[in-house]
Amino acid sequence: GAGVSQSPSNKVTEKGKDVELRCDPISGHTALYWYRQSLGQGLEFLIYFQGNSAPDKSGLPSDRFSAERTGGSVSTLTIQRTQQEDSAVYLCASSSRDRGLYEQYFGPGTRLTVT
Amino acid sequence: AQSVTQPDIHITVSEGASLELRCNYSYGATPYLFWYVQSPGQGLQLLLKYFSGDTLVQGIKGFEAEFKRSQSSFNLRKPSVHWSDAAEYFCAVGAAYGGSQGNLIFGKGTKLSVKP
């Protein structure tokens, strides 16, 4: 079956512009996660959606970052007024309760470069 | 606070040699532990996981890992490395199943190179 997909695969933007990154989770997966992978920093948790519950936003680095999940499926991560330190690979993952929330399936990521 | 340490940033082994990648975690309760692999330009793929029970867990691609509570470790092993194993490996810890947070805490990764 189809895995987690993300778009675009690469995004180059100018400092100060807004960007939107999209994630399509595996069909039927109720949980969706965003992580950021920076050079030398490993993977950082950003935000977590589970069903209809309020998202866990505890990992978002600043109020320039936001995310939404429409209809319990597709999610969009928005970064406003991008800064050079936002350059990273943004990874999305999804999981389902019947397989265990932590058995997460990752998409290929979006590489964001802020110039 | 939960944390994961992978002491080795980069390891090089010869093809056919055995491999052990180290992972130490810090977590107050019984952890859920994972190893993921990331090939260049790819997302992360789950290799294996430990939730409870037998402390030696088998995964895909011939990998295994052993949970040692006394050492707070979850080292990944493979008896004979193949060139296709060259990738970056991430150890991760998660809170209890069904807890308020579903996120994983990752180590910074170990890059594996394989010499022919």
Side-chain angles (χ1 to χ4, degrees), chain A residues 33 35 37 40-45 48 56 58 89 91 96-109, chain B residues 32 34 36 38 41-46 49 51 88 90 94-104 106-108:
Chain A
Y33 314 79
Y35 294 87
Q37 186 174 24
Q41 295 299 314
L43 286 95
E44 305 169 77
F45 163 73
Y48 158 51
D56 177 352
S58 60
V89 177
L91 292 166
S96 64
R97 280 200 179 274
D98 60 347
R99 293 294 300 274
L101 284 176
Y102 298 101
E103 191 162 334
Q104 297 178 15
Y105 295 83
F106 283 79
Chain B
Y32 289 2
F34 305 81
Y36 281 83
Q38 185 178 35
Q42 304 295 312
L44 280 76
Q45 181 182 21
L46 180 65
K49 61 185 183 287
F51 283 179
E88 192 155 17
F90 293 91
Y97 179 92
S100 60
Q101 283 195 321
N103 58 292
L104 294 168
F106 285 87
K108 294 193 175 182

Side-chain angles (χ1 to χ4, degrees), chain B residues 8-89:
Chain B
D8 305 304
I9 297 173
H10 190 185
I11 283 183
T12 300
V13 300
S14 298
E15 190 168 17
S18 64
L19 171 71
E20 182 168 27
L21 302 182
R22 296 182 291 164
C23 172
N24 293 97
Y25 67 89
S26 173
Y27 187 66
T30 300
Y32 289 2
L33 294 160
F34 305 81
W35 275 99
Y36 281 83
V37 60
Q38 185 178 35
S39 298
Q42 304 295 312
L44 280 76
Q45 181 182 21
L46 180 65
L47 280 178
L48 49 76
K49 61 185 183 287
Y50 172 77
F51 283 179
S52 64
D54 193 346
T55 56
L56 183 64
V57 293
Q58 303 295 321
I60 61 171
K61 304 185 181 186
F63 286 92
E64 66 178 26
E66 185 171 13
F67 170 58
K68 293 186 177 179
R69 184 187 301 276
S70 62
Q71 299 177 18
S72 297
S73 69
F74 188 58
N75 294 348
L76 182 71
R77 301 194 295 247
K78 186 169 185 178
S80 177
V81 168
H82 188 262
W83 65 266
S84 60
D85 294 325
E88 192 155 17
Y89 292 79

Side-chain angles (χ1 to χ4, degrees), chain A:
Chain A
V4 177
S5 61
Q6 293 185 246
S7 60
S9 55
N10 281 283
K11 176 72 175 179
V12 180
T13 190
E14 292 179 354
K15 178 181 173 181
K17 295 284 180 70
D18 298 351
V19 295
E20 287 189 349
L21 312 180
R22 177 187 167 106
C23 172
D24 280 276
I26 292 172
S27 177
H29 278 193
T30 57
L32 186 147
Y33 314 79
W34 284 98
Y35 294 87
R36 178 169 69 175
Q37 186 174 24
S38 307
L39 195 61
Q41 295 299 314
L43 286 95
E44 305 169 77
F45 163 73
L46 296 178
I47 188 169
Y48 158 51
F49 297 89
Q50 168 55 27
N52 296 321
S53 303
D56 177 352
K57 305 179 183 180
S58 60
L60 295 178
S62 78
D63 58 8
R64 295 187 297 105
F65 287 72
S66 63
E68 62 177 20
R69 188 178 185 194
T70 54
S73 181
V74 171
S75 176
T76 302
L77 177 70
T78 301
I79 308 173
Q80 296 178 309
R81 304 181 303 281
T82 52
Q83 304 294 311
Q84 288 185 331
E85 61 262 29
D86 299 334
S87 296
V89 177
Y90 289 82
L91 292 166
C92 176
S94 70
S95 66
S96 64
R97 280 200 179 274
D98 60 347
R99 293 294 300 274
L101 284 176
Y102 298 101
E103 191 162 334
Q104 297 178 15
Y105 295 83
F106 283 79
T110 293
R111 181 176 296 279
L112 175 66
T113 303
V114 182
T115 62

